[in-house]
């Protein structure tokens, strides 16, 4: 018998560019994105601050992340 693979409920995904940082939560089973947010990098002194702002607005923080810089 094969076991069903368990996925975490949501994973933070982020695309950090020179102008904008884009954040979302992804469902690893379906790849559906929710909680999409885009911010200007110039408005945040660091990735840590931009990420903290995004995570602070979430009801439950994700356990995993994938960040492309």
């Amino acid at each position: 018998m094969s076991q069903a693979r368990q996925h975490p409920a949501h994973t933070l995904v982020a695309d950090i560019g020179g102008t904008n940082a884009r954040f979302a939560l992804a469902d690893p089973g379906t790849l559906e994105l929710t909680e999409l947010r885009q911010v200007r990098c110039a408005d945040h002194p660091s990735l840590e601050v931009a990420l903290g702002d995004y995570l602070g607005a979430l009801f439950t923080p994700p356990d995993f992340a994938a960040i492309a810089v």
Side-chain angles (χ1 to χ4, degrees):
M1 269 187 204
S2 66
Q3 291 180 301
R5 184 172 179 174
Q6 296 295 318
H7 294 285
H10 289 101
T11 298
L12 168 76
V13 292
D15 173 27
I16 312 301
T19 304
N20 296 300
R22 296 165 190 87
F23 301 99
L25 295 179
D27 178 315
T30 64
L31 301 181
E32 179 182 351
L33 297 178
T34 58
E35 302 295 332
L36 283 80
R37 183 170 171 207
Q38 178 174 308
V39 299
R40 287 177 23 95
C41 292
D43 294 341
H44 298 83
S46 68
L47 171 56
E48 182 178 11
V49 172
L51 182 57
D53 286 350
Y54 177 77
L55 292 174
L58 298 177
F59 182 71
T60 303
D63 292 323
F64 300 96
I67 299 174
V69 179

PDB file of all heavy atoms in Angstrom, residues 40-60:
ATOM      1  N   ARG A  40       7.326  47.739  -2.769  1.00  0.00           N
ATOM      2  CA  ARG A  40       8.509  48.345  -3.388  1.00  0.00           C
ATOM      3  C   ARG A  40       9.717  48.105  -2.481  1.00  0.00           C
ATOM      4  O   ARG A  40       9.661  48.358  -1.276  1.00  0.00           O
ATOM      5  CB  ARG A  40       8.314  49.841  -3.579  1.00  0.00           C
ATOM      6  CG  ARG A  40       7.342  50.205  -4.689  1.00  0.00           C
ATOM      7  CD  ARG A  40       7.103  51.716  -4.816  1.00  0.00           C
ATOM      8  NE  ARG A  40       8.151  52.561  -4.273  1.00  0.00           N
ATOM      9  CZ  ARG A  40       9.169  53.084  -5.000  1.00  0.00           C
ATOM     10  NH1 ARG A  40       9.231  52.855  -6.278  1.00  0.00           N
ATOM     11  NH2 ARG A  40      10.074  53.846  -4.416  1.00  0.00           N
ATOM     12  N   CYS A  41      10.790  47.616  -3.056  1.00  0.00           N
ATOM     13  CA  CYS A  41      12.011  47.367  -2.278  1.00  0.00           C
ATOM     14  C   CYS A  41      12.541  48.656  -1.668  1.00  0.00           C
ATOM     15  O   CYS A  41      13.040  48.652  -0.537  1.00  0.00           O
ATOM     16  CB  CYS A  41      13.069  46.715  -3.160  1.00  0.00           C
ATOM     17  SG  CYS A  41      12.642  45.042  -3.669  1.00  0.00           S
ATOM     18  N   ALA A  42      12.419  49.777  -2.371  1.00  0.00           N
ATOM     19  CA  ALA A  42      12.932  51.056  -1.873  1.00  0.00           C
ATOM     20  C   ALA A  42      12.220  51.514  -0.604  1.00  0.00           C
ATOM     21  O   ALA A  42      12.753  52.338   0.137  1.00  0.00           O
ATOM     22  CB  ALA A  42      12.806  52.127  -2.958  1.00  0.00           C
ATOM     23  N   ASP A  43      11.037  50.971  -0.336  1.00  0.00           N
ATOM     24  CA  ASP A  43      10.275  51.342   0.857  1.00  0.00           C
ATOM     25  C   ASP A  43      10.687  50.538   2.090  1.00  0.00           C
ATOM     26  O   ASP A  43      10.145  50.756   3.173  1.00  0.00           O
ATOM     27  CB  ASP A  43       8.776  51.154   0.620  1.00  0.00           C
ATOM     28  CG  ASP A  43       8.236  52.116  -0.432  1.00  0.00           C
ATOM     29  OD1 ASP A  43       8.889  53.137  -0.703  1.00  0.00           O
ATOM     30  OD2 ASP A  43       7.149  51.819  -0.979  1.00  0.00           O
ATOM     31  N   HIS A  44      11.609  49.607   1.924  1.00  0.00           N
ATOM     32  CA  HIS A  44      12.055  48.738   3.021  1.00  0.00           C
ATOM     33  C   HIS A  44      13.583  48.718   3.040  1.00  0.00           C
ATOM     34  O   HIS A  44      14.205  48.460   2.018  1.00  0.00           O
ATOM     35  CB  HIS A  44      11.510  47.326   2.835  1.00  0.00           C
ATOM     36  CG  HIS A  44      10.015  47.283   2.860  1.00  0.00           C
ATOM     37  ND1 HIS A  44       9.251  47.568   1.748  1.00  0.00           N
ATOM     38  CD2 HIS A  44       9.150  47.035   3.857  1.00  0.00           C
ATOM     39  CE1 HIS A  44       7.978  47.480   2.080  1.00  0.00           C
ATOM     40  NE2 HIS A  44       7.886  47.161   3.352  1.00  0.00           N
ATOM     41  N   PRO A  45      14.208  48.948   4.199  1.00  0.00           N
ATOM     42  CA  PRO A  45      15.667  49.000   4.260  1.00  0.00           C
ATOM     43  C   PRO A  45      16.348  47.643   4.069  1.00  0.00           C
ATOM     44  O   PRO A  45      17.551  47.596   3.803  1.00  0.00           O
ATOM     45  CB  PRO A  45      15.950  49.561   5.660  1.00  0.00           C
ATOM     46  CG  PRO A  45      14.724  49.275   6.459  1.00  0.00           C
ATOM     47  CD  PRO A  45      13.586  49.278   5.480  1.00  0.00           C
ATOM     48  N   SER A  46      15.581  46.540   4.193  1.00  0.00           N
ATOM     49  CA  SER A  46      16.185  45.215   4.032  1.00  0.00           C
ATOM     50  C   SER A  46      15.108  44.187   3.698  1.00  0.00           C
ATOM     51  O   SER A  46      13.906  44.428   3.897  1.00  0.00           O
ATOM     52  CB  SER A  46      16.912  44.791   5.315  1.00  0.00           C
ATOM     53  OG  SER A  46      15.971  44.566   6.357  1.00  0.00           O
ATOM     54  N   LEU A  47      15.556  43.037   3.228  1.00  0.00           N
ATOM     55  CA  LEU A  47      14.640  41.920   2.988  1.00  0.00           C
ATOM     56  C   LEU A  47      13.989  41.502   4.299  1.00  0.00           C
ATOM     57  O   LEU A  47      12.802  41.194   4.352  1.00  0.00           O
ATOM     58  CB  LEU A  47      15.384  40.739   2.364  1.00  0.00           C
ATOM     59  CG  LEU A  47      14.611  39.423   2.244  1.00  0.00           C
ATOM     60  CD1 LEU A  47      13.322  39.599   1.465  1.00  0.00           C
ATOM     61  CD2 LEU A  47      15.487  38.357   1.635  1.00  0.00           C
ATOM     62  N   GLU A  48      14.756  41.516   5.373  1.00  0.00           N
ATOM     63  CA  GLU A  48      14.226  41.130   6.684  1.00  0.00           C
ATOM     64  C   GLU A  48      13.028  42.000   7.081  1.00  0.00           C
ATOM     65  O   GLU A  48      12.019  41.493   7.568  1.00  0.00           O
ATOM     66  CB  GLU A  48      15.317  41.237   7.736  1.00  0.00           C
ATOM     67  CG  GLU A  48      14.876  40.810   9.112  1.00  0.00           C
ATOM     68  CD  GLU A  48      15.992  40.891  10.136  1.00  0.00           C
ATOM     69  OE1 GLU A  48      17.048  41.469   9.859  1.00  0.00           O
ATOM     70  OE2 GLU A  48      15.775  40.367  11.239  1.00  0.00           O
ATOM     71  N   VAL A  49      13.119  43.301   6.844  1.00  0.00           N
ATOM     72  CA  VAL A  49      12.026  44.211   7.190  1.00  0.00           C
ATOM     73  C   VAL A  49      10.814  43.966   6.287  1.00  0.00           C
ATOM     74  O   VAL A  49       9.674  43.892   6.766  1.00  0.00           O
ATOM     75  CB  VAL A  49      12.489  45.683   7.123  1.00  0.00           C
ATOM     76  CG1 VAL A  49      11.308  46.633   7.292  1.00  0.00           C
ATOM     77  CG2 VAL A  49      13.559  45.954   8.170  1.00  0.00           C
ATOM     78  N   ALA A  50      11.035  43.822   4.993  1.00  0.00           N
ATOM     79  CA  ALA A  50       9.928  43.573   4.057  1.00  0.00           C
ATOM     80  C   ALA A  50       9.237  42.254   4.400  1.00  0.00           C
ATOM     81  O   ALA A  50       8.003  42.176   4.441  1.00  0.00           O
ATOM     82  CB  ALA A  50      10.440  43.559   2.622  1.00  0.00           C
ATOM     83  N   LEU A  51      10.015  41.222   4.671  1.00  0.00           N
ATOM     84  CA  LEU A  51       9.455  39.930   5.023  1.00  0.00           C
ATOM     85  C   LEU A  51       8.711  40.003   6.355  1.00  0.00           C
ATOM     86  O   LEU A  51       7.622  39.444   6.505  1.00  0.00           O
ATOM     87  CB  LEU A  51      10.566  38.879   5.086  1.00  0.00           C
ATOM     88  CG  LEU A  51      10.164  37.456   5.398  1.00  0.00           C
ATOM     89  CD1 LEU A  51       9.141  36.926   4.409  1.00  0.00           C
ATOM     90  CD2 LEU A  51      11.395  36.573   5.426  1.00  0.00           C
ATOM     91  N   GLY A  52       9.264  40.717   7.304  1.00  0.00           N
ATOM     92  CA  GLY A  52       8.606  40.885   8.601  1.00  0.00           C
ATOM     93  C   GLY A  52       7.263  41.578   8.481  1.00  0.00           C
ATOM     94  O   GLY A  52       6.298  41.206   9.152  1.00  0.00           O
ATOM     95  N   ASP A  53       7.197  42.597   7.619  1.00  0.00           N
ATOM     96  CA  ASP A  53       5.921  43.282   7.379  1.00  0.00           C
ATOM     97  C   ASP A  53       4.892  42.316   6.797  1.00  0.00           C
ATOM     98  O   ASP A  53       3.729  42.314   7.199  1.00  0.00           O
ATOM     99  CB  ASP A  53       6.108  44.463   6.436  1.00  0.00           C
ATOM    100  CG  ASP A  53       6.791  45.645   7.086  1.00  0.00           C
ATOM    101  OD1 ASP A  53       6.969  45.643   8.329  1.00  0.00           O
ATOM    102  OD2 ASP A  53       7.163  46.582   6.342  1.00  0.00           O
ATOM    103  N   TYR A  54       5.319  41.512   5.831  1.00  0.00           N
ATOM    104  CA  TYR A  54       4.399  40.553   5.214  1.00  0.00           C
ATOM    105  C   TYR A  54       3.930  39.519   6.238  1.00  0.00           C
ATOM    106  O   TYR A  54       2.735  39.278   6.385  1.00  0.00           O
ATOM    107  CB  TYR A  54       5.060  39.850   4.031  1.00  0.00           C
ATOM    108  CG  TYR A  54       4.172  38.805   3.409  1.00  0.00           C
ATOM    109  CD1 TYR A  54       3.122  39.169   2.582  1.00  0.00           C
ATOM    110  CD2 TYR A  54       4.353  37.454   3.689  1.00  0.00           C
ATOM    111  CE1 TYR A  54       2.273  38.208   2.039  1.00  0.00           C
ATOM    112  CE2 TYR A  54       3.520  36.488   3.156  1.00  0.00           C
ATOM    113  CZ  TYR A  54       2.485  36.875   2.323  1.00  0.00           C
ATOM    114  OH  TYR A  54       1.643  35.928   1.797  1.00  0.00           O
ATOM    115  N   LEU A  55       4.869  38.924   6.944  1.00  0.00           N
ATOM    116  CA  LEU A  55       4.514  37.881   7.908  1.00  0.00           C
ATOM    117  C   LEU A  55       3.658  38.426   9.044  1.00  0.00           C
ATOM    118  O   LEU A  55       2.787  37.728   9.560  1.00  0.00           O
ATOM    119  CB  LEU A  55       5.777  37.224   8.459  1.00  0.00           C
ATOM    120  CG  LEU A  55       6.574  36.382   7.471  1.00  0.00           C
ATOM    121  CD1 LEU A  55       7.879  35.922   8.111  1.00  0.00           C
ATOM    122  CD2 LEU A  55       5.767  35.208   6.964  1.00  0.00           C
ATOM    123  N   GLY A  56       3.898  39.679   9.432  1.00  0.00           N
ATOM    124  CA  GLY A  56       3.125  40.288  10.507  1.00  0.00           C
ATOM    125  C   GLY A  56       1.656  40.462  10.172  1.00  0.00           C
ATOM    126  O   GLY A  56       0.818  40.553  11.063  1.00  0.00           O
ATOM    127  N   ALA A  57       1.330  40.491   8.900  1.00  0.00           N
ATOM    128  CA  ALA A  57      -0.059  40.654   8.471  1.00  0.00           C
ATOM    129  C   ALA A  57      -0.800  39.320   8.349  1.00  0.00           C
ATOM    130  O   ALA A  57      -2.004  39.304   8.114  1.00  0.00           O
ATOM    131  CB  ALA A  57      -0.103  41.391   7.131  1.00  0.00           C
ATOM    132  N   LEU A  58      -0.092  38.204   8.507  1.00  0.00           N
ATOM    133  CA  LEU A  58      -0.712  36.887   8.369  1.00  0.00           C
ATOM    134  C   LEU A  58      -1.298  36.427   9.699  1.00  0.00           C
ATOM    135  O   LEU A  58      -0.742  36.699  10.758  1.00  0.00           O
ATOM    136  CB  LEU A  58       0.318  35.854   7.895  1.00  0.00           C
ATOM    137  CG  LEU A  58       0.946  36.090   6.531  1.00  0.00           C
ATOM    138  CD1 LEU A  58       2.000  35.009   6.258  1.00  0.00           C
ATOM    139  CD2 LEU A  58      -0.095  36.109   5.434  1.00  0.00           C
ATOM    140  N   PHE A  59      -2.380  35.698   9.619  1.00  0.00           N
ATOM    141  CA  PHE A  59      -3.002  35.145  10.822  1.00  0.00           C
ATOM    142  C   PHE A  59      -2.114  34.054  11.424  1.00  0.00           C
ATOM    143  O   PHE A  59      -1.897  33.996  12.623  1.00  0.00           O
ATOM    144  CB  PHE A  59      -4.390  34.594  10.485  1.00  0.00           C
ATOM    145  CG  PHE A  59      -5.121  34.043  11.669  1.00  0.00           C
ATOM    146  CD1 PHE A  59      -5.616  34.894  12.652  1.00  0.00           C
ATOM    147  CD2 PHE A  59      -5.311  32.682  11.812  1.00  0.00           C
ATOM    148  CE1 PHE A  59      -6.282  34.395  13.760  1.00  0.00           C
ATOM    149  CE2 PHE A  59      -5.976  32.174  12.915  1.00  0.00           C
ATOM    150  CZ  PHE A  59      -6.463  33.034  13.888  1.00  0.00           C
ATOM    151  N   THR A  60      -1.602  33.172  10.562  1.00  0.00           N
ATOM    152  CA  THR A  60      -0.716  32.090  10.986  1.00  0.00           C
ATOM    153  C   THR A  60       0.508  32.083  10.081  1.00  0.00           C
ATOM    154  O   THR A  60       0.367  31.984   8.866  1.00  0.00           O
ATOM    155  CB  THR A  60      -1.427  30.725  10.866  1.00  0.00           C
ATOM    156  OG1 THR A  60      -2.625  30.767  11.636  1.00  0.00           O
ATOM    157  CG2 THR A  60      -0.551  29.606  11.356  1.00  0.00           C
TER     158      THR A  60
END
